[in-house]
């Protein structure tokens, strides 16, 4: 029996002349800094000592903390005795009210000690890493040291303040009969100068190129308001099928394919994606069959044990996003980059598809795909951003009692040091002429990846500096990304989850 179908019900119809609006992604004004780039090839050496790094840090930050302390304590007196400044730790005299600046050293018995590890060669297996270095019996000691010597600190202000090895402070007090310095008050360098928005772009707005003509930079281009920056960390791609669903949801969201017209308009405002470390899960070699184990090489590289699935999957993920959105990639602890801080950019050979969007070697302008260092800082839409993959905060966590990550981040900024525990318990390059971890200019946004949970706060400096602190959670565990509004610096949390049937 034949069925008659009305013309309005036909499946194949003319597309018509209706016009549909097209959405263009918000442009990204991007001006990164090379603060943490290391020399390449033969210019990079590891023969030098690490002690020079502490002296470089002290020489850089001591004038700042001394100026702050002198202004605060210049008229201070106790029982008619006026406080005086001493230049070195060893110039402190017993019973005399004075103040001195130096480097903090935390003497903690539970900290890793390479000499103890060597002496205990009878261990069958290495002990598991400790979550905290804090001694439960209270045997930890706080020292203040400089080029002349070391002084043990005691007092209530130390219990009320967060201190770790490597931060520069000034303390006021007096030495008691036991040789301990009883602290009455303490000062830290506090937040440095904060640049104005677009300051760096406008300073280089008109530059000369090789032909002698002038060109306009981002500072002179028309700036569009209402943009957003997406920050994600801890993708933890392992190459397994279990990775794909939440990653696909994230990818489709950023591309505007998983939402309606109103949400697509909001997604189009995301001008840049920043990936803050641990994009690939910790490397696990392929399991070998018994016959392969017998034939495996004893020395050298065994290509049969290498698992390319995680990097291939991550490369495909980036290559799908890059035609639509620029990406800044910060390496993390589990990524294929050097272990010591500052981690250098992940080599482009790991991204055979995505590297087509990267800048050419020795290019001045950054590419659409920018693989950067960890830590990293740069200007995005005029704001100074600084961030890392989480290792400096995770290491500071081991020195303190609690788990207040925002307080640790605030302390790092007020100490003006992005990785104070390096090189004591955080591996780093042995710098000889500068300490790149010293914060020269205060950022507007400070983000840290791979944290246990999302959190944010705005802190204020002594002269009105405002800094947005952001703890970025691990996407693999939480399914969350952070959106930063480039007009107000307010944050928004977007969560992706997969419904699992109980049946």
């Amino acid at each position: 029996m034949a069925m008659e179908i009305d013309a309005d019900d036909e499946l194949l119809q003319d597309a018509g002349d209706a016009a549909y609006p097209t959405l263009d992604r918000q442009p990204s004004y991007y001006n990164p800094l090379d603060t943490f780039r290391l020399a390449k090839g033969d210019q990079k050496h590891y023969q030098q000592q690490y002690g020079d790094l502490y002296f470089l840090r002290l020489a850089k930050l001591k004038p700042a903390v001394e100026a702050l302390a002198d202004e605060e304590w210049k008229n201070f007196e106790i029982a008619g005795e006026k406080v005086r400044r001493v230049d070195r730790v060893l110039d402190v005299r017993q019973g005399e009210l004075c103040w001195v600046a130096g480097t903090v050293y935390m003497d903690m018995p539970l900290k890793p000690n390479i000499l103890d590890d060597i002496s205990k060669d009878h261990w069958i297996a290495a002990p598991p890493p400790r979550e905290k270095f804090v001694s439960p019996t209270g045997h930890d000691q706080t020292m203040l040291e400089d080029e002349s010597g070391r002084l043990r600190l005691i007092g209530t202000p130390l219990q009320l303040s967060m201190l770790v090895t490597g931060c520069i402070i000034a303390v006021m007090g007096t030495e008691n009969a036991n040789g301990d310095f009883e602290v009455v008050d303490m000062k830290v360098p506090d937040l440095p100068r904060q640049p104005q928005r677009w300051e760096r772009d406008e300073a280089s707005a008109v530059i000369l190129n090789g032909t002698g003509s002038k060109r306009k930079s981002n500072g002179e281009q028309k700036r569009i308001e209402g943009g957003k920056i997406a920050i994600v960390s801890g993708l933890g791609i392992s190459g397994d099928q279990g990775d794909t669903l939440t990653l696909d949801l994230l990818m489709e969201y950023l591309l505007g394919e998983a939402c309606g017209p109103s949400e697509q308009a909001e997604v189009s405002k995301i001008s840049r994606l920043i990936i803050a470390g641990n994009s690939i899960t910790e490397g696990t070699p392929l399991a070998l069959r018994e016959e392969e184990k017998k034939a495996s090489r004893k020395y050298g590289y065994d290509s049969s044990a290498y698992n390319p699935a995680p990097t291939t999957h991550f490369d495909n993920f980036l290559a799908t996003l890059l035609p639509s959105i620029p990406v800044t990639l910060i390496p993390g602890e589990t990524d294929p980059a050097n272990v010591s801080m500052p981690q250098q950019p992940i080599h482009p050979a790991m991204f055979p598809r995505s590297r087509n969007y990267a800048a050419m070697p020795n290019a001045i302008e950054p590419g659409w795909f920018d693989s950067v260092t960890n830590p990293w800082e740069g200007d995005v839409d005029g704001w100074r951003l600084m961030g890392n993959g989480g290792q400096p905060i995770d290491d500071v966590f081991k020195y303190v009692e609690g788990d207040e990550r925002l307080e640790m981040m605030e302390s790092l900024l007020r100490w003006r040091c992005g990785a104070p525990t390096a090189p004591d318990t955080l591996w780093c390059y042995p710098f000889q002429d500068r300490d790149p971890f010293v914060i020269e200019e205060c950022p507007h946004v400070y983000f840290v990846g791979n944290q246990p949970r999302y959190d944010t706060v705005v802190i204020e400096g002594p002269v009105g500096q405002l800094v947005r602190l952001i703890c970025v959670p691990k996407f693999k565990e939480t399914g969350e990304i952070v959106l930063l509004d480039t007009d107000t610096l307010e944050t928004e949390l977007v969560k992706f989850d997969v419904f699992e049937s109980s049946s």
Side-chain angles (χ1 to χ4, degrees), residues 21-165:
T22 58
L23 294 174
D24 294 328
R25 188 174 295 277
Q26 194 94 323
S28 175
Y29 301 104
Y30 184 64
N31 195 357
L33 290 166
D34 294 330
T35 308
F36 303 99
R37 290 269 185 170
L38 297 179
K40 296 182 179 180
D42 297 338
Q43 300 178 359
K44 185 166 57 177
H45 304 284
Y46 287 88
Q47 291 85 4
Q48 57 267 34
Q49 295 293 321
Y50 284 89
D52 293 339
L53 188 59
Y54 287 116
F55 295 122
L56 290 169
R57 187 178 302 169
L58 180 60
K60 186 70 175 180
L61 294 178
K62 189 175 182 180
V65 72
E66 284 184 336
L68 189 64
D70 184 65
E71 182 180 356
E72 185 73 18
W73 298 332
K74 59 183 177 182
N75 297 322
F76 186 85
E77 60 179 45
I78 296 179
E81 181 182 4
K82 191 174 182 180
V83 66
R84 77 176 188 92
R85 170 180 174 257
V86 295
D87 294 327
R88 305 185 308 160
V89 165
L90 292 187
D91 293 336
V92 174
R93 296 293 177 260
Q94 182 177 330
E96 183 180 36
L97 183 64
C98 62
W99 66 268
V100 63
T103 306
V104 172
Y105 174 75
M106 302 299 294
D107 189 2
M108 311 175 83
L110 297 184
K111 274 200 313 183
N113 189 325
I114 185 61
L115 298 179
D116 291 343
D117 294 343
I118 294 174
S119 64
K120 297 176 182 177
D121 55 359
H122 61 275
W123 281 342
I124 297 177
R130 293 186 176 93
E131 184 179 354
K132 292 277 191 180
F133 299 149
V134 180
S135 173
T137 58
H139 290 163
D140 300 333
Q141 297 180 351
T142 304
M143 306 288 186
L144 187 73
E145 64 179 17
D146 60 11
E147 65 277 2
S148 67
R150 183 177 291 180
L151 187 65
R152 185 166 58 187
L153 305 179
I154 60 173
T156 304
L158 302 180
Q159 310 300 325
L160 303 177
S161 304
M162 182 181 294
L163 292 176
V164 300
T165 295

Side-chain angles (χ1 to χ4, degrees), residues 149-413:
R150 183 177 291 180
L151 187 65
R152 185 166 58 187
L153 305 179
I154 60 173
T156 304
L158 302 180
Q159 310 300 325
L160 303 177
S161 304
M162 182 181 294
L163 292 176
V164 300
T165 295
C167 60
I168 310 299
I169 65 171
V171 292
M172 178 183 63
T174 182
E175 185 178 5
N176 61 21
N178 297 326
D180 299 333
F181 191 83
E182 297 184 3
V183 178
V184 176
D185 196 8
M186 183 182 70
K187 294 296 177 184
V188 297
D190 220 323
L191 302 184
R193 172 192 174 274
Q194 187 177 55
Q196 298 293 323
R197 187 184 183 187
W198 301 110
E199 178 180 308
R200 182 160 161 258
D201 296 270
E202 291 175 351
S204 58
V206 180
I207 63 174
L208 293 175
N209 60 21
T211 61
S213 61
K214 297 181 179 180
R215 69 174 176 87
K216 293 184 178 180
S217 72
N218 293 340
E220 287 183 313
Q221 296 173 3
K222 182 180 180 181
R223 297 162 184 160
I224 303 175
E225 298 180 352
K228 295 181 180 180
I229 302 169
I231 309 175
V232 66
S233 70
L235 295 177
I237 298 175
S238 62
D240 298 334
Q241 292 298 322
D243 291 338
T244 58
L245 195 49
T246 52
L247 280 175
D248 286 346
L249 288 175
L250 172 62
M251 180 174 61
E252 291 176 3
Y253 171 78
L254 294 173
L255 294 176
E257 298 175 354
C259 42
S262 60
E263 189 67 22
Q264 286 178 342
E266 292 298 316
V267 173
S268 67
K269 297 179 181 179
I270 301 176
S271 61
R272 176 167 294 272
L273 172 65
I274 298 178
I275 304 177
N278 290 8
S279 303
I280 298 175
T281 192
E282 196 163 0
T284 53
L286 292 173
L288 300 179
R289 297 191 297 270
E290 289 298 327
E291 58 271 17
E292 292 176 336
K293 291 181 180 179
K294 295 178 181 179
S296 61
R297 298 178 60 184
K298 184 176 181 180
Y299 302 104
Y301 168 68
D302 188 1
S303 60
S304 62
Y306 171 66
N307 184 8
T311 53
T312 302
H313 192 175
F314 184 43
D315 182 34
N316 294 335
F317 172 77
L318 292 175
T320 306
L321 288 176
L322 282 167
S324 174
I325 183 172
V327 176
T328 298
L329 175 61
I330 301 174
E333 185 177 10
T334 62
D335 290 324
N338 58 300
V339 177
S340 60
M341 303 292 284
Q343 288 182 289
Q344 297 305 287
I346 300 177
H347 199 279
M350 307 298 294
F351 309 108
R353 296 183 61 195
S354 306
R355 66 186 178 190
N356 295 325
Y357 297 89
M360 296 295 291
N362 301 321
I364 298 177
E365 297 292 334
W368 198 255
F369 172 50
D370 194 19
S371 181
V372 298
T373 60
N374 175 30
W376 169 83
E377 63 177 348
D379 293 348
V380 182
D381 292 341
W383 301 108
R384 176 65 52 84
L385 270 63
M386 185 173 71
N388 60 64
Q391 296 100 311
I393 297 298
D394 293 341
D395 203 57
V396 169
F397 165 79
K398 300 175 183 179
Y399 283 79
V400 298
E401 294 278 359
D403 189 18
E404 296 297 329
R405 300 299 176 117
L406 289 178
E407 184 180 352
M408 300 176 201
M409 295 170 62
E410 179 181 358
S411 297
L412 259 65
L413 291 180

